[in-house]
Amino acid sequence: MIEAPVRPALLDQIAAIVGAKGLTTDPTDLAPWLTDWRGRYHGAAIAMVAPANAAELSAVVSLAATTRTPIVPQGGNSGMVGGATPDATGTALLLSTRRMNAIRAIDPQARTVVAEAGVVLQTLHEAVAAQGLRFPLTLGGKGSATVGGLVSTNAGGTQVLRHGTMRALVEGIEAVLPDGSLYEGLVTLKKDNRGYDLKHLLIGAEGTLGIVTAATLKLVPALIDRAVVWAGVESPLAARQLLLMLEARAGREMEGFEIVPQRCLSNVLRHIPGTRAPLGAPCPWHVLVEFARDAADAPAPEAFAQALMAEAFERGLVLDAAISASESQAEAFWKLRDSISEAERAEGPAMQHDISVPVAAMAQFIIDAGTAVEARFDGTEVAAFGHMGDGNVHFHVAAPRGADPARWPNDPGKEISAFVHDLVVAAGGSISAEHGIGQMKRDELARLSDPARMGAMHAIKRALDPQGIMNPGKLVAG
Ligand SMILES: Cc1cc2nc3c(=O)[nH]c(=O)nc-3n(C[C@H](O)[C@H](O)[C@H](O)COP(=O)(O)OP(=O)(O)OC[C@H]3O[C@@H](n4cnc5c(N)ncnc54)[C@H](O)[C@@H]3O)c2cc1C
């Protein structure tokens, strides 16, 4: 760790690299970036450094390596597991990619974009849309989440069903490794067998193996049109049957299949201004399905959705359904889904679990695990929502009314999380489907992973970052 007297000299050297615009030590400027999105983790930092390009970033990391100064990479700070929040010692540099926000190139023929790490997802969507293309990954935090953060958490979102997670969409990476060297891997090659794939090591590494400075991302044709269905269903099992029916009929046209319990919808309607219930009466559970058309010979989504919903009614799979008749209605349905986390934050403390089990097992898991948790922890309420089509839900356990928000997340929150994670592991699932491990799940990962996985992860970390300066305390300890 860096000794305090070295700091002024270090800051002078950093200032010489990044200039006045790229360095701040002002506590007021730093404050919003030292707490995570959910307000659960609070840290401290020597300074926030924001290089303007990969060369500056490389020089800053070289300096950090020489002085053994810890670095915490940060993009939009929308992560859900405290991965971008430094610890409280105040010995780390917070390295923000906010100034590295250029879209370097869009290639309509190859259907790729080269975007720097600090490009915000929404900006990326708009830039490629202007060229008749689409980056087919979106999520509720799209106004803040950056390319570097999305790559580093292997983000998922609501279109994984058709397009996969970031891992399927990243074609090349440029990154600064922990010794300050620049890995230049942006060129897209269909075939490349030069041994270990650094790109795949860096995807999902949460800033523990280096800092992504830019990525080449895969694009698809822009949508011609889409239809979004909001349907009420009796239970997760009915939702599963509906999913099976739609997978058999719709195939590529179905982009997303999300499940929402009435409890989450009620929270959204209560806390998020401008939202309206999509159906005439409450239903126990809801699903949101997106049908999209990006090829002229594909079926028109609205008529297609109507025919499929008519069949689902006949088969007794849905209780009620609304189909978007305009783009603004489609957006309104997605807003209900995307606002669930924000509404929950306003509602009160909850323990969040981002879990996956095999897709076929998810419906029964939601029911059984929900019942088990509520029986074991008095007054808690489970809300499982999200990407059911991917076998991934956000399994949230809300505190009983009147619980102390300062104490509850630790006691009994930690015990609740361990209980949920044990159920997930028993079902053959993962304790982190898309948000990553960060500091929130680090100890649980160590507790529940098999020794071979943890041994290999530690060995990779030690090999690439022998001084342990890259995002210490996240993902793997020590
Ligand atoms: C309302 C809401 C909804 C969300 N929905 C989803 C969802 O559906 N699916 C999903 O996957 N996520 C979701 N998220 C979580 C979040 O948006 C993603 O994890 C996103 O990838 C984080 O991007 P960021 O730029 O904000 O990263 P940050 O929060 O800044 O950082 C996240 C992690 O990546 C590291 N990091 C950041 N930039 C770099 C870089 N350039 N190089 C190396 N490491 C870096 C950080 O150190 C940290 O470990 C949601 C968030 C919100 C607020």
Side-chain angles (χ1 to χ4, degrees):
M1 294 291 155
I2 185 167
E3 300 298 326
V6 182
R7 282 185 198 171
L10 177 76
L11 291 179
D12 286 347
Q13 286 171 287
I14 293 174
I17 298 167
V18 298
K21 269 190 184 168
L23 180 67
T24 178
T25 53
D26 181 340
T28 316
D29 292 343
L30 275 168
W33 309 104
L34 294 173
T35 294
D36 71 311
W37 189 83
R38 284 202 169 113
R40 184 168 295 169
Y41 299 98
H42 309 281
I46 305 171
M48 182 159 72
V49 184
N53 52 49
E56 286 187 11
L57 198 149
S58 161
V60 170
V61 175
S62 297
L63 188 58
T66 315
T67 54
R68 303 185 70 154
T69 308
I71 291 188
V72 178
Q74 190 178 81
N77 199 24
S78 70
M80 293 290 193
V81 290
T85 312
D87 67 20
T89 60
T91 52
L93 290 170
L94 188 63
L95 196 138
S96 170
T97 57
R98 63 175 61 194
R99 290 175 69 219
M100 297 177 56
N101 57 5
I103 293 183
R104 293 190 195 161
I106 299 176
D107 183 338
Q109 277 184 348
R111 289 197 191 135
T112 55
V113 56
V114 180
E116 291 187 348
V119 172
V120 170
L121 181 57
Q122 188 152 357
T123 310
L124 180 70
H125 285 160
E126 288 161 8
V128 302
Q131 306 273 338
L133 293 162
R134 179 165 68 115
F135 178 59
L137 183 145
T138 192
L139 41 78
K142 67 184 172 202
S144 313
T146 62
V147 166
L150 295 163
V151 171
S152 301
T153 58
N154 184 24
T158 49
Q159 291 158 331
V160 171
L161 196 58
R162 178 168 169 199
H163 300 284
T165 62
M166 277 304 276
R167 202 175 283 287
L169 298 170
V170 176
E171 300 211 334
I173 276 188
E174 179 191 90
V176 171
L177 301 179
D179 62 357
S181 58
L182 183 66
Y183 167 66
E184 293 176 274
L186 286 175
V187 175
T188 304
L189 298 174
K190 265 211 186 313
K191 300 179 92 172
D192 180 13
N193 274 353
R194 286 176 286 177
Y196 307 132
D197 193 330
L198 273 186
K199 175 182 78 176
H200 281 297
L201 261 187
L202 288 162
I203 297 171
E206 302 183 34
T208 62
L209 299 180
I211 303 177
V212 175
T213 51
T216 306
L217 303 171
K218 189 169 158 183
L219 302 174
V220 297
L223 284 186
I224 298 169
D225 50 4
R226 65 172 177 163
V228 178
V229 175
W230 190 284
V233 295
E234 193 59 56
S235 71
L237 294 170
R240 165 82 183 140
Q241 289 308 313
L242 180 63
L243 173 63
L244 285 175
M245 187 202 111
L246 296 178
E247 276 177 341
R249 297 280 192 289
R252 277 178 57 77
E253 283 72 38
M254 184 164 59
E255 291 233 333
F257 188 100
E258 302 280 309
I259 188 163
V260 178
Q262 179 63 40
R263 189 174 290 152
C264 289
L265 178 61
S266 302
N267 284 348
V268 169
L269 299 174
R270 192 161 39 248
H271 294 292
I272 308 296
T275 52
R276 297 181 37 203
L279 303 175
C283 292
W285 291 82
H286 303 257
V287 295
L288 181 154
V289 193
E290 174 154 317
F291 298 101
R293 171 162 66 157
D294 60 13
D297 58 353
E302 199 182 330
F304 190 55
Q306 271 164 0
L308 289 172
M309 282 304 117
E311 184 180 338
F313 266 118
E314 261 171 43
R315 290 171 57 171
L317 299 179
V318 298
L319 304 170
D320 194 3
I323 299 170
S324 63
S326 63
E327 189 49 31
S328 63
Q329 215 175 1
E331 280 296 319
F333 287 169
W334 270 116
K335 183 169 180 187
L336 295 173
R337 160 64 187 91
D338 286 341
S339 304
I340 292 177
S341 294
E342 202 182 325
E344 180 189 85
R345 204 165 57 158
E347 186 72 10
M351 296 309 290
Q352 293 90 9
H353 312 94
D354 156 45
I355 56 149
S356 65
V357 299
V359 180
M362 183 48 94
Q364 198 59 51
F365 180 87
I366 292 174
I367 296 168
D368 293 347
T371 308
V373 169
E374 289 178 359
R376 169 85 175 69
F377 299 97
D378 244 12
T380 56
E381 290 188 346
V382 170
F385 65 93
H387 321 304
M388 191 175 178
D390 312 328
N392 164 209
V393 292
H394 304 305
F395 189 96
H396 292 189
V397 183
R401 302 260 160 230
D404 176 356
R407 200 181 129 200
W408 193 80
N410 280 319
D411 178 19
K414 284 199 166 142
E415 193 190 339
I416 293 174
S417 290
F419 186 80
V420 171
H421 291 156
D422 287 346
L423 294 173
V424 170
V425 171
S430 165
I431 64 165
S432 178
E434 59 176 8
H435 291 161
I437 298 296
Q439 50 185 307
M440 182 177 169
K441 296 184 184 170
R442 192 194 67 190
D443 296 344
E444 284 294 83
L445 180 76
R447 181 175 76 87
L448 294 166
S449 289
D450 64 276
R453 175 193 287 263
M454 285 316 288
M457 295 220 321
H458 279 290
I460 292 167
K461 171 73 176 166
R462 274 196 304 271
L464 286 181
D465 182 18
Q467 304 196 98
I469 60 165
M470 272 298 157
N471 215 0
K474 316 292 167 49
L475 184 55
V476 283

